[in-house]
Amino acid sequence: MKKFVNDPKNFVPEMLRGLALANPDTLAYVPAYNLIMRKDAPSQNKVSIIQGSGSGHEPAHVMAVGRGMLDGSCPGDVFAAPPVDYIYEATKLLATDKGVLYIVNNYTGDRLAFDMAKELAEAEGIRVATVMVDDDVAVKDSLYTIGRRGVAGNFFVIKALGAAAERGDDLDSLVALGQRVNSVTRTMGIALSSCTPPSKGVPLFDMADGEMEVGIGIHGEPGRSREAVRTASEIVSMLVEAVASDLPFASGDRVGVMINGLGGTPVSELYLLYGLAHDELEKRGITVGRNYIGEYCTSLEMAGASLTLIKLDDEIETLLAAPAEVPIRVF
Amino acid sequence: MKKFVNDPKNFVPEMLRGLALANPDTLAYVPAYNLIMRKDAPSQNKVSIIQGSGSGHEPAHVMAVGRGMLDGSCPGDVFAAPPVDYIYEATKLLATDKGVLYIVNNYTGDRLAFDMAKELAEAEGIRVATVMVDDDVAVKDSLYTIGRRGVAGNFFVIKALGAAAERGDDLDSLVALGQRVNSVTRTMGIALSSCTPPSKGVPLFDMADGEMEVGIGIHGEPGRSREAVRTASEIVSMLVEAVASDLPFASGDRVGVMINGLGGTPVSELYLLYGLAHDELEKRGITVGRNYIGEYCTSLEMAGASLTLIKLDDEIETLLAAPAEVPIRVF
């Protein structure tokens, strides 16, 4: 196992503690609930936004906590939904008069946990609403999901809702906006390797050198097909076709493009993919308005990448361009 | 080979093209010299700063081009020094009345290439000076180096010099400052896996599962020892001891800490390492003033990480905190 880890049972808490120590002015860490929250939250003038999900997808979602993004994130263990009480306690800590919004990637375990926490919180008089994210076009119904999976495109939902919450939008407006952003966002990924959860100690699934999984899930769930690795150009063409034909994105559209690394693929390859995606979109008459290249939603150290397209309009573009402060700093 | 690549010979140009397409307002790409440069450079009011080195270390250095950082970067092929004419032509394109500063990581091939380019440029009346970076404490004299190697700590040299050039410092002052920053910066890395250069197609060296290379070089050069992998805490303790005893850093010091991923290690593990490093430094009475956690100087998809410490003083801290605009955006 090629990992920096102490006792695998402490992998998540030790990571969260490091994250909080690195951001002492902006983030608070509540170990009892794996909760990373804004130090200045809750603010009574705004809806608080929480996203949970399993760990192992960092920077999603604990490193997306900050002004203009999430107010808190309470992940479960690696690839495991957060326990109900983590979400319930996080909700109480972050509750405001304007309410609490959950952003939930569409996995059955996550949905169940967030639904139960919502009921518990509402019983205490807290207003709660949920926005589901299901941007992955690869497959319908999967290992842990009924319907489509939520993957890297959720960063666009987080960013747009975070900015809208900051300007004071109410809970109902945020739900409508979140659904609208999700409805114009599509993703598909390709894996070149498996990954190893720390407490499992062996790869989650087998993948021979020279193979790729087309439409991989971010927990290693099967996608559309297992194939021989193709050239980068062929892969990008396949991803753009799958994503752009789904919405459908059409000539004249203006889009945001995300090339998301799955954890083990270096940034050099992500930029190479971006250049090819840019060409492929141009051929279709689609203009790139904004680009996002790097790691957003990973699967531990999996080699691979996903392509996300979001159809831009004036409101969405303004929200995506609004200032945000997240822990990940470059220089 | 678990890589997104077309013809391996085009790996670097295709990556650079993607980088330029992703930053159309700020970066220009000159394919003939693998040159990524600021679109608004050269500015006659400032010294231009160039760093070359081999590719395969991204974001170093092409993704460190931008306001307050480098004016240009002209990398060679993967793990190969840039050809002399790339540097020479980049120097002519970026020359200003105040001169051109080379930042060179200490590898024999890079030194030779930059020295020869400097002579050629000086013959044309361009003022050129060089700052060498040799922050790696692991070994003295190595596979491609006489003396110590330059690794991730060079980002502190780039950042400080970039900020100082922006405020108008002259060439001599920048050289003195660069030497001073390098003199208070120390790094050591540990690899958990090998890496595969695209045109080689097979791993650069063998590393069994469960082994680690202590003091690895960023081109896979041997370090101090090959050992069985230890716990993250033991690894951090080993790195902090190696780095902090070298300068030496002492109780009462205020430092910047960088946990740099070598390409295949996910950011979750880097934050876990940061938390442990923070504890280890606190035990020694050393205060962390600034932290940098992520990928800065990688070795393709190598699993591993390095720890860098820089001793802070008022001037260095001010320069590190100055605004900078680099291609890598989070949100």
Side-chain angles (χ1 to χ4, degrees), chain A residues 20-296:
Chain A
L21 283 170
N23 297 278
D25 299 333
T26 53
L27 298 183
Y29 171 40
V30 187
Y33 316 119
N34 274 5
L35 174 62
I36 293 287
M37 57 183 274
R38 283 174 61 172
K39 223 165 193 170
D40 59 358
S43 156
Q44 290 304 324
N45 303 322
K46 70 181 278 299
V47 172
S48 285
I49 306 181
I50 297 175
Q51 175 142 16
S53 94
S55 294
H57 305 300
E58 294 71 23
H61 304 282
V62 289
M63 297 163 199
V65 175
R67 194 172 64 86
M69 296 278 281
L70 300 175
D71 294 280
S73 178
C74 51
D77 208 339
V78 170
F79 295 174
V84 175
D85 66 312
Y86 286 17
I87 308 169
Y88 171 55
E89 298 293 342
T91 306
K92 286 196 291 185
L93 283 168
L94 290 165
T96 76
D97 297 341
K98 296 193 77 168
V100 174
L101 181 67
Y102 296 159
I103 302 177
V104 181
N105 281 8
N106 188 33
Y107 298 96
T108 305
D110 292 275
R111 291 188 71 146
L112 278 172
F114 276 90
D115 282 351
M116 291 173 68
K118 179 170 185 284
E119 276 185 35
L120 292 171
E122 285 173 340
E124 302 213 17
I126 302 171
R127 286 192 65 203
V128 179
T130 302
V131 168
M132 300 295 309
V133 179
D134 61 351
D135 54 314
D136 189 348
V137 305
V139 289
K140 197 169 149 36
D141 303 338
S142 177
L143 219 49
Y144 312 114
T145 322
I146 297 169
R148 284 182 167 187
R149 303 175 296 219
V151 289
N154 77 342
F155 261 81
F156 290 117
V157 179
I158 295 171
K159 178 66 186 71
L161 291 180
E166 215 68 53
R167 73 183 176 192
D169 284 18
D170 65 24
L171 196 55
D172 293 339
S173 310
L174 290 176
V175 170
L177 175 66
Q179 288 168 346
R180 192 166 81 77
V181 173
N182 181 60
S183 77
V184 295
T185 303
R186 296 291 189 279
T187 302
M188 194 164 92
I190 285 194
L192 302 181
S193 84
S194 186
C195 63
T196 300
S199 51
K200 191 172 161 77
V202 295
L204 205 53
F205 58 95
D206 291 323
M207 174 109 82
D209 204 24
E211 283 186 334
M212 65 179 184
E213 179 74 27
V214 178
I216 187 81
I218 56 172
H219 315 90
E221 307 97 304
R224 293 182 175 183
S225 58
R226 178 73 61 97
E227 303 182 18
V229 173
R230 305 201 203 169
T231 66
S233 291
E234 289 168 334
I235 287 173
V236 166
S237 169
M238 186 187 296
L239 289 175
V240 170
E241 171 59 27
V243 168
S245 66
D246 191 88
L247 188 47
F249 293 85
S251 182
D253 279 349
R254 183 173 162 86
V255 299
V257 178
M258 176 183 281
I259 303 289
N260 167 60
L262 293 179
T265 287
V267 69
S268 50
E269 293 177 45
L270 302 181
Y271 273 93
L272 182 149
L273 293 176
Y274 174 74
L276 302 172
H278 187 277
D279 296 346
E280 196 66 39
L281 291 165
E282 203 166 55
K283 266 193 265 172
R284 292 165 183 260
I286 298 173
T287 305
V288 180
R290 300 181 66 79
N291 63 75
Y292 302 83
I293 301 152
E295 291 180 352
Y296 293 90

Side-chain angles (χ1 to χ4, degrees), chain A residues 1-6 10-11 14-15 17-19 21-23 58-59 63 69 155-156 159 190 192-193 207-211 229-235 258 263-269 271-276 278-279 290-293 295-296 300-301 303-305 320 324 326-331, chain B residues 1-6 10-11 14-15 17-19 21-23 58-59 63 69 155-156 159 190 192-193 207-211 229-235 258 263-269 271-276 278-279 290-293 295-296 300-301 303-305 320 324 326-331:
Chain A
M1 187 166 63
K2 300 187 170 303
K3 283 186 191 302
F4 295 109
V5 59
N6 287 315
N10 295 329
F11 181 76
E14 289 188 351
M15 181 250 299
R17 186 170 170 275
L19 177 62
L21 283 170
N23 297 278
E58 294 71 23
M63 297 163 199
M69 296 278 281
F155 261 81
F156 290 117
K159 178 66 186 71
I190 285 194
L192 302 181
S193 84
M207 174 109 82
D209 204 24
E211 283 186 334
V229 173
R230 305 201 203 169
T231 66
S233 291
E234 289 168 334
I235 287 173
M258 176 183 281
T265 287
V267 69
S268 50
E269 293 177 45
Y271 273 93
L272 182 149
L273 293 176
Y274 174 74
L276 302 172
H278 187 277
D279 296 346
R290 300 181 66 79
N291 63 75
Y292 302 83
I293 301 152
E295 291 180 352
Y296 293 90
L300 297 166
E301 80 290 4
L320 293 183
V326 288
I328 299 183
R329 174 177 57 197
V330 179
F331 244 99
Chain B
M1 187 165 64
K2 298 185 173 304
K3 283 188 191 301
F4 295 110
V5 60
N6 288 317
N10 295 330
F11 181 76
E14 288 188 350
M15 181 250 299
R17 186 168 171 275
L19 176 62
L21 283 170
N23 297 277
E58 293 72 24
M63 297 163 199
M69 297 278 282
F155 261 83
F156 290 116
K159 178 67 185 73
I190 285 193
L192 303 181
S193 84
M207 174 109 85
D209 204 26
E211 282 187 333
V229 173
R230 305 201 202 169
T231 66
S233 292
E234 289 168 334
I235 286 172
M258 175 183 282
T265 287
V267 68
S268 50
E269 294 177 45
Y271 274 93
L272 183 150
L273 294 176
Y274 175 74
L276 301 172
H278 186 277
D279 296 347
R290 299 180 67 79
N291 64 75
Y292 303 84
I293 301 153
E295 292 180 352
Y296 292 90
L300 296 166
E301 79 290 6
L320 293 183
V326 288
I328 298 181
R329 174 177 58 196
V330 181
F331 245 98

Side-chain angles (χ1 to χ4, degrees), chain B residues 218-236:
Chain B
I218 56 173
H219 315 89
E221 309 97 303
R224 293 182 174 182
S225 58
R226 178 71 61 96
E227 302 183 19
V229 173
R230 305 201 202 169
T231 66
S233 292
E234 289 168 334
I235 286 172
V236 166

Side-chain angles (χ1 to χ4, degrees), chain B residues 244-325:
Chain B
S245 66
D246 191 88
L247 188 49
F249 292 85
S251 182
D253 280 348
R254 183 173 163 87
V255 299
V257 178
M258 175 183 282
I259 303 290
N260 167 60
L262 292 180
T265 287
V267 68
S268 50
E269 294 177 45
L270 302 181
Y271 274 93
L272 183 150
L273 294 176
Y274 175 74
L276 301 172
H278 186 277
D279 296 347
E280 196 67 36
L281 291 166
E282 203 167 55
K283 267 194 263 171
R284 292 166 184 258
I286 298 173
T287 305
V288 180
R290 299 180 67 79
N291 64 75
Y292 303 84
I293 301 153
E295 292 180 352
Y296 292 90
C297 189
T298 62
S299 299
L300 296 166
E301 79 290 6
M302 184 182 283
S306 63
L307 170 89
T308 301
L309 295 184
I310 175 171
K311 198 177 280 197
L312 298 175
D313 57 33
D314 287 349
E315 188 192 17
I316 290 177
E317 197 155 355
T318 301
L319 292 168
L320 293 183
E325 281 173 21

Side-chain angles (χ1 to χ4, degrees), chain B residues 64-292:
Chain B
V65 175
R67 195 172 62 86
M69 297 278 282
L70 299 176
D71 294 281
S73 178
C74 51
D77 207 340
V78 170
F79 295 174
V84 175
D85 65 312
Y86 287 18
I87 309 169
Y88 171 55
E89 298 292 343
T91 305
K92 286 195 290 186
L93 283 169
L94 289 164
T96 76
D97 296 342
K98 296 193 77 168
V100 174
L101 181 67
Y102 295 159
I103 302 178
V104 182
N105 281 9
N106 187 33
Y107 298 96
T108 304
D110 292 276
R111 291 188 72 149
L112 278 172
F114 276 89
D115 281 352
M116 290 172 69
K118 181 170 184 284
E119 276 184 37
L120 292 172
E122 285 173 340
E124 303 214 17
I126 302 170
R127 286 193 64 203
V128 180
T130 302
V131 168
M132 301 294 308
V133 180
D134 61 351
D135 55 313
D136 188 348
V137 306
V139 290
K140 198 170 149 31
D141 302 338
S142 178
L143 219 49
Y144 311 114
T145 322
I146 296 168
R148 285 183 166 184
R149 302 177 296 221
V151 289
N154 77 341
F155 261 83
F156 290 116
V157 179
I158 295 170
K159 178 67 185 73
L161 291 180
E166 215 66 53
R167 74 182 174 193
D169 283 19
D170 64 24
L171 195 56
D172 293 340
S173 310
L174 291 176
V175 170
L177 175 66
Q179 288 168 345
R180 192 165 82 75
V181 173
N182 180 59
S183 76
V184 294
T185 302
R186 296 291 189 280
T187 301
M188 195 162 93
I190 285 193
L192 303 181
S193 84
S194 185
C195 63
T196 299
S199 50
K200 192 172 160 76
V202 294
L204 205 54
F205 59 95
D206 291 324
M207 174 109 85
D209 204 26
E211 282 187 333
M212 63 180 184
E213 179 74 28
V214 178
I216 187 79
I218 56 173
H219 315 89
E221 309 97 303
R224 293 182 174 182
S225 58
R226 178 71 61 96
E227 302 183 19
V229 173
R230 305 201 202 169
T231 66
S233 292
E234 289 168 334
I235 286 172
V236 166
S237 170
M238 185 186 299
L239 288 176
V240 170
E241 172 59 25
V243 168
S245 66
D246 191 88
L247 188 49
F249 292 85
S251 182
D253 280 348
R254 183 173 163 87
V255 299
V257 178
M258 175 183 282
I259 303 290
N260 167 60
L262 292 180
T265 287
V267 68
S268 50
E269 294 177 45
L270 302 181
Y271 274 93
L272 183 150
L273 294 176
Y274 175 74
L276 301 172
H278 186 277
D279 296 347
E280 196 67 36
L281 291 166
E282 203 167 55
K283 267 194 263 171
R284 292 166 184 258
I286 298 173
T287 305
V288 180
R290 299 180 67 79
N291 64 75
Y292 303 84

